[in-house]
C-alpha cells in the first residue's frame, strides 16, 4: 500500500514524499489507521520493518504546536533514543514540533535546561525519565501519547518497575502503543495492565525476506570460536559485518583477539560511555571500520545499510532474537549472510528450533582449511592490485612504472607489489599448526563430549553456561544471562551492568589463532602470527598460529582440559 492511500494530511503526504517514503510497510499499513482511530496497540515486527514510522506518523498527525509535552516515547538504549528522535523530527518537519532526547550518560543539567525551553515530544530511557520526573522538569499532565518501543528489551533489562512508575504518573486520558521485535506471555501480561482493549498486530518475517539471507552454521568447541571466526573473516572477507556476543566480557575478548590479528574492528556495549558508543557507530556506518562486535542490547537501534554479514559468535538467549539479528542483513533487496557458531551441545538442541522458527534449512559449512585461508588472503591481494588499475589517473605513477620496467621485469614488479599487500607469515608452519590444532580439538572434543570444560566448565551458551571456578552463568532460550540482571539505570547506566567481570587466574584464551602466552592473573597482551609462550598461571600474550612454548608446570598440549589452577 502507498502512503497516498492512507488517510493522512496533505502536509504529511508532502513530507513523506520529500524524505523518500513511498510504500508503507506491513506494520505501518496496519498500525497507522488504528493509531489514528485512537486505539491502543501491541505491535510486533522485526528490526528494519518500519515500526518507528508506524507510531510516529499517526502521533504527529494528532499533535499540536503548543510547546507542552504531549508525547513520551520510552526506549531501552541510548542509541535507539537518538535514532527514534531523529526519525520523529524528520517526519514532523512540516510542523513546529520540537523533539528532545534524554538518556543516562549525558549531562542531566543540560537536558534540564533544554526541557525547560519547551518540547512537544520527548524520547527517553526509563532511568533518566524518572530522574527528570522527580526533579519536576519532565511534566506528565498533558501527555496524550505514550509509546514503549522495544518492550522486550526493556523488560529483560529490568525496567518493569520504572515503566510502572512512569505510567502511573500519566493521569490524563492518553493512548498507549507497545512495539517490540519479539513477543512473550510476560509482554502480553504487562500490556494488558497498561493498555485499554489493545489491538494486536503481528508481522512475521516473510519467507521472501528470509530467502534473501544465506543462513549457515559451524559446530565447534567454545575455545575454538575466535580462531575459526578469524579464518572465516579472512576467507569470506565481508564488506561490513556485525558480530553478536552474549556478554560484555565476551565482546571485549573478541575485540581484543581480532585487533591483535590485524582486523579493522571495534565494539559497542553498555559499559562504554555514550560518546564512545556514538563515535564507534559513526565510524562503522562511514565504513572506517568493517567489523562491529556488540551485545543484543547495545545493538538495538543500530540501523546500518549494506550490512553484508551477521555472525552469531554466541547464540542469542531467546530464539526470537535469532530472527531479529539476522534480519539486519539482506535488506533493500540485497542478499545477506548469517553465520552461526554452535557448540556440540547446542547443535542438536537448538538448530531444529531455529530451522522451525525461520522455516529455513541452515547449511552446515566447514572450518576453512589453512590452504583456504592462505589462498583467500593471496587472492584478495591480487584483487586489490586489479581494482586499483581502474583508479590510476596520476601520470606520475605511470612514469615511475615505465622507469622501473627498464631495470626489472613486469613479473618481478607485480610480485613485489603483491608481497607488500599480503600479510607476511610462515605458510608451512601455519599449515602444520592448523592441522595439529584441528586434530587436537577433535580428540579433546571426543573425550569430553562437547563443551569447553576448564575447572568445571560444562558447556556453551545454553547448556549450563560458561562455568569457571564454580560460577553459574546460565543461558538458554527464555532465560536470563548472568550479566543481564538490572544494574543502576538511574545514574546514566541504562543498560544492565555485567556480573561477568572475571579477574584473576582467568583461563580464557586471548587473541591469536591457537593459544597465547599465559602468566599470572590474566595479563593479556600480544597476538599476531608468531605464536605464544606460556608461563606460570595465565598471562596471555601470543595467540599466534602455533600452540606456543610452555614453561613452568605447563607441559600440557594447547587446548587440553584443565581441572586445577596451577
Amino acid at each position: 500500500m502507498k502512503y497516498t492511500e492512507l488517510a493522512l494530511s496533505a502536509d504529511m503526504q508532502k513530507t513523506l514524499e520529500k524524505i523518500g517514503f513511498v510504500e508503507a510497510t506491513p506494520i505501518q499499513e496496519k498500525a497507522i489507521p488504528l493509531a489514528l482511530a485512537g486505539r491502543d496497540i501491541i505491535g510486533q515486527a522485526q528490526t528494519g520493518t518500519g515500526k518507528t514510522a508506524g507510531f510516529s506518523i499517526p502521533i504527529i498527525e494528532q499533535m499540536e504546536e503548543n510547546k507542552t509535552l504531549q508525547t513520551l516515547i520510552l526506549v531501552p538504549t541510548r542509541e535507539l533514543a537518538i535514532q527514534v528522535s531523529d526519525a520523529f523530527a524528520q517526519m514532523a518537519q512540516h510542523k513546529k514540533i520540537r523533539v528532545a532526547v534524554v538518556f543516562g550518560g549525558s549531562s542531566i543539567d543540560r537536558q534540564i535546561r533544554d526541557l525547560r525551553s519547551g518540547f512537544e515530544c520527548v524520547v527517553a530511557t526509563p532511568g533518566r525519565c524518572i530522574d527528570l520526573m522527580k526533579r519536576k522538569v519532565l511534566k506528565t499532565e498533558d501527555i496524550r501519547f505514550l509509546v514503549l518501543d522495544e518492550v522486550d528489551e526493556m523488560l529483560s533489562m529490568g525496567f518493569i518497575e520504572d515503566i510502572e512508575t512512569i505510567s502511573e504518573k500519566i493521569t490524563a486520558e492518553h493512548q498507549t502503543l507497545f512495539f517490540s521485535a519479539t513477543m512473550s506471555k510476560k509482554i502480553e501480561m504487562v500490556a494488558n495492565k497498561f493498555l485499554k482493549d489493545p489491538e494486536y498486530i503481528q508481522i512475521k518475517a516473510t519467507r521472501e525476506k528470509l530467502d534473501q539471507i544465506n543462513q549457515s552454521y559451524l559446530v565447534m568447541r567454545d575455545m575454538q570460536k575466535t580462531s575459526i571466526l578469524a579464518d572465516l573473516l579472512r576467507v569470506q572477507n565481508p564488506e561490513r559485518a556485525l558480530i553478536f556476543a552474549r556478554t560484555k566480557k565476551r565482546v571485549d575478548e573478541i575485540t581484543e583477539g581480532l585487533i591483535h590479528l590485524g582486523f579493522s574492528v571495534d565494539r559497542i556495549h553498555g559499559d562504554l560511555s555514550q560518546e564512545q558508543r556514538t563515535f564507534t557507530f559513526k565510524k562503522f556506518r562511514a565504513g572506517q571500520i568493517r567489523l562491529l562486535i556488540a551485545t543484543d542490547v547495545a545493538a538495538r537501534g543500530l540501523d546500518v545499510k549494506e550490512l553484508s554479514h551477521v555472525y552469531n559468535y554466541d547464540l542469542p538467549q531467546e530464539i526470537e532474537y535469532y530472527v531479529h539479528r539476522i534480519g539486519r542483513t539482506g535488506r533493500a533487496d540485497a542478499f545477506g549472510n548469517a553465520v552461526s557458531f554452535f557448540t556440540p551441545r547446542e547443535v542438536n538442541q537448538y538448530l531444529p528450533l531455529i530451522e522451525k522458527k525461520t522455516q529455513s534449512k541452515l547449511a552446515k559449512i566447514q572450518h576453512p582449511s589453512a590452504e583456504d585461508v592462505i589462498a583467500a588472503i593471496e587472492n584478495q591481494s591480487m584483487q586489490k592490485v586489479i581494482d586499483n588499475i581502474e583508479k590510476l589517473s596520476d601520470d606520475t605513477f605511470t612514469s615511475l612504472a615505465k622507469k622501473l620496467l627498464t631495470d626489472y621485469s613486469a613479473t618481478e614488479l607485480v610480485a613485489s607489489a603483491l608481497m607488500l599487500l599480503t600479510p607476511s607469515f610462515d605458510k608451512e608452519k601455519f599449515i602444520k599448526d592448523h592441522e595439529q590444532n584441528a586434530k587436537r580439538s577433535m580428540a579433546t572434543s571426543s573425550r569430553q563430549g562437547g563443551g569447553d570444560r576448564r575447572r568445571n566448565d560444562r558447556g556453551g551458551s545454553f547448556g549450563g553456561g560458561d562455568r569457571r571456578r564454580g560460577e553459574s552463568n546460565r543461558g538458554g532460550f527464555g532465560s536470563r544471562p548472568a550479566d543481564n540482571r538490572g544494574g543502576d539505570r538511574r545514574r546514566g547506566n541504562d543498560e544492565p551492568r555485567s556480573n561477568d567481570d572475571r579477574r584473576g587466574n582467568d583461563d580464557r584464551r586471548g587473541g591469536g589463532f591457537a593459544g597465547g602466552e599465559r602468566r599470572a592473573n590474566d595479563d593479556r597482551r600480544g597476538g599476531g602470527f608468531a605464536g605464544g609462550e606460556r608461563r606460570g598461571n595465565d598471562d596471555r600474550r601470543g595467540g599466534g598460529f602455533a600452540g606456543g612454548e610452555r614453561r613452568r608446570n605447563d607441559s600440557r598440549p594447547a587446548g587440553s582440559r584443565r581441572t586445577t589452577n596451577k
Side-chain angles (χ1 to χ4, degrees):
M1 176 184 289
K2 296 184 181 297
Y3 286 104
T4 52
E5 300 177 60
L6 295 171
L8 303 175
S9 67
D11 288 338
M12 177 60 80
Q13 295 282 11
K14 290 179 182 178
T15 295
L16 295 177
E17 182 180 359
K18 181 179 178 182
I19 61 180
F21 283 19
V22 179
E23 291 276 350
T25 65
I27 187 68
Q28 295 164 4
E29 184 179 333
K30 293 186 177 183
I32 290 174
L34 290 170
L36 286 172
R39 295 293 303 274
D40 285 4
I41 294 173
I42 304 174
Q44 179 193 358
Q46 69 182 85
T47 295
T49 53
K51 294 193 295 291
T52 302
F55 62 74
S56 297
I57 291 173
I59 288 175
I60 293 168
E61 286 282 76
Q62 302 174 73
M63 289 178 68
E64 299 175 6
E65 304 169 1
N66 58 12
K67 288 191 176 183
T68 60
L69 179 57
Q70 303 161 53
T71 300
L72 176 62
I73 303 173
L74 298 177
V75 296
T77 67
R78 309 158 192 177
E79 286 75 26
L80 188 57
I82 295 170
Q83 180 180 311
V84 169
S85 64
D86 289 345
F88 195 98
Q90 186 181 40
M91 287 178 276
Q93 59 185 269
H94 59 281
K95 280 189 170 183
K96 293 180 180 179
I97 291 177
R98 299 182 64 193
V99 184
V101 56
V102 296
F103 45 75
S106 294
S107 170
I108 193 170
D109 294 331
R110 179 182 58 78
Q111 293 174 0
I112 289 172
R113 289 194 299 271
D114 289 344
L115 288 175
R116 282 176 174 163
S117 65
F119 286 87
E120 287 85 3
C121 175
V122 170
V123 184
T125 50
R128 182 51 58 92
C129 181
I130 289 180
D131 283 345
L132 293 167
M133 283 182 171
K134 287 181 177 179
R135 297 179 186 226
K136 302 188 183 302
V137 177
L138 200 156
K139 300 179 180 179
T140 61
E141 58 267 21
D142 295 315
I143 291 179
R144 297 168 51 202
F145 306 98
L146 173 64
V147 179
L148 282 80
D149 196 14
E150 304 291 8
V151 180
D152 51 352
E153 280 300 329
M154 285 197 278
L155 294 185
S156 69
M157 291 168 66
F159 284 130
I160 181 62
E161 292 182 2
D162 291 347
I163 293 172
E164 291 176 347
T165 299
I166 294 167
S167 297
E168 289 170 358
K169 296 289 183 181
I170 303 175
T171 55
E173 188 70 23
H174 63 279
Q175 184 178 5
T176 305
L177 309 175
F178 268 39
F179 285 87
S180 178
T182 64
M183 195 60 61
S184 65
K185 292 293 183 182
K186 186 176 181 181
I187 292 176
E188 292 178 4
M189 289 173 61
V190 173
N192 290 332
K193 183 175 182 180
F194 296 125
L195 279 66
K196 299 177 182 177
D197 189 25
E199 191 75 31
Y200 182 62
I201 302 171
Q202 184 180 31
I203 306 297
K204 295 183 178 180
T206 63
R207 178 72 257 163
E208 180 182 357
K209 166 68 176 175
L210 292 173
D211 285 344
Q212 293 177 205
I213 303 172
N214 297 316
Q215 300 178 63
S216 59
Y217 74 97
L218 300 90
V219 182
M220 69 201 73
R221 295 177 61 216
D222 190 74
M223 66 184 300
Q224 294 178 277
K225 286 184 176 181
T226 298
S227 63
I228 291 179
L229 175 62
D231 285 351
L232 280 176
L233 293 173
R234 292 187 185 281
V235 171
Q236 296 182 346
N237 194 30
E239 287 297 322
R240 194 172 300 167
L242 191 56
I243 301 168
F244 284 99
R246 186 172 66 255
T247 66
K248 302 169 193 176
K249 181 71 172 177
R250 292 276 269 196
V251 168
D252 290 338
E253 290 176 348
I254 302 164
T255 304
E256 179 184 320
L258 292 182
I259 287 175
H260 286 168
L261 293 171
F263 289 95
S264 173
V265 60
D266 211 331
R267 59 184 174 163
I268 183 169
H269 60 60
D271 283 350
L272 303 177
S273 69
Q274 179 56 37
E275 290 74 19
Q276 288 175 304
R277 293 164 72 169
T278 301
F279 180 63
T280 297
F281 185 47
K282 284 182 178 178
K283 288 194 299 179
F284 186 56
R285 294 185 71 174
Q288 295 172 353
I289 53 175
R290 296 172 59 191
L291 308 173
L292 183 63
I293 305 172
T295 58
D296 280 298
V297 174
R300 286 295 173 110
L302 301 187
D303 188 12
V304 183
K305 296 180 180 178
E306 300 176 357
L307 190 66
S308 62
H309 288 69
V310 168
Y311 292 92
N312 292 310
Y313 186 95
D314 294 318
L315 294 178
Q317 65 182 31
E318 295 183 14
I319 194 169
E320 287 279 358
Y321 283 44
Y322 175 83
V323 179
H324 185 83
R325 285 180 179 184
I326 69 171
R328 296 174 182 276
T329 186
R331 295 188 182 181
D333 297 325
F335 281 91
N337 300 276
V339 184
S340 300
F341 291 0
F342 287 81
T343 65
R345 285 177 177 270
E346 295 167 344
V347 68
N348 293 329
Q349 187 171 1
Y350 296 106
L351 179 60
L353 295 176
I354 289 174
E355 290 184 332
K356 181 179 179 181
K357 181 68 179 178
T358 61
Q359 298 181 5
S360 306
K361 185 72 175 176
L362 275 64
K364 184 177 182 180
I365 59 177
Q366 299 299 321
H367 177 192
S369 67
E371 292 81 0
D372 292 335
V373 176
I374 293 170
I377 293 172
E378 293 175 344
N379 288 334
Q380 289 159 24
S381 298
M382 286 191 291
Q383 193 60 47
K384 287 178 184 177
V385 173
I386 295 170
D387 292 343
N388 203 56
I389 292 174
E390 300 177 359
K391 301 177 183 178
L392 284 176
S393 59
D394 193 334
D395 292 336
T396 303
F397 294 104
T398 304
S399 299
L400 288 172
K402 290 179 179 179
K403 185 177 180 180
L404 288 168
L405 283 168
T406 62
D407 298 321
Y408 304 96
S409 70
T411 301
E412 289 174 323
L413 292 175
V414 173
S416 178
L418 290 172
M419 185 187 302
L420 291 172
L421 290 170
T422 304
S424 60
F425 58 94
D426 188 332
K427 294 182 185 178
E428 292 183 2
K429 186 175 186 301
F430 174 48
I431 292 172
K432 181 179 179 181
D433 292 340
H434 204 274
E435 292 175 350
Q436 289 178 347
N437 289 336
K439 291 178 181 178
R440 186 184 302 122
S441 297
M442 289 177 63
T444 308
S445 179
S446 176
R447 287 197 308 271
Q448 295 181 348
D452 180 11
R453 302 185 185 179
R454 287 171 284 178
R455 288 191 296 283
N456 296 325
D457 179 4
R458 298 191 181 183
S461 59
F462 296 102
D466 181 9
R467 303 180 185 177
R468 298 182 173 94
R469 294 169 304 288
E471 180 172 359
S472 176
N473 179 17
R474 297 180 182 272
F477 291 132
S479 64
R480 179 176 295 182
D483 72 333
N484 191 12
R485 299 181 183 175
D488 184 3
R489 298 178 295 279
R490 309 283 176 92
R491 286 169 168 62
N493 185 12
D494 286 297
E495 183 174 339
R497 292 177 181 269
S498 173
N499 290 330
D500 190 27
D501 185 11
R502 302 175 187 140
R503 298 181 175 90
N505 300 324
D506 187 356
D507 187 48
R508 296 190 187 186
R509 289 178 182 264
F513 277 89
E517 178 184 359
R518 305 188 179 185
R519 295 188 187 179
N521 293 327
D522 193 19
D523 180 10
R524 302 176 206 179
R525 308 171 194 172
F529 292 102
E533 177 181 350
R534 303 189 182 182
R535 305 181 186 179
N537 282 346
D538 190 23
D539 179 353
R540 284 163 250 181
R541 289 195 183 183
F545 287 100
E549 177 184 354
R550 302 167 181 87
R551 304 183 186 178
R552 280 186 221 160
N553 300 324
D554 191 5
S555 59
R556 289 161 291 182
S560 64
R561 175 175 178 178
R562 290 175 175 239
T563 55
T564 59
N565 184 17
K566 295 183 180 180

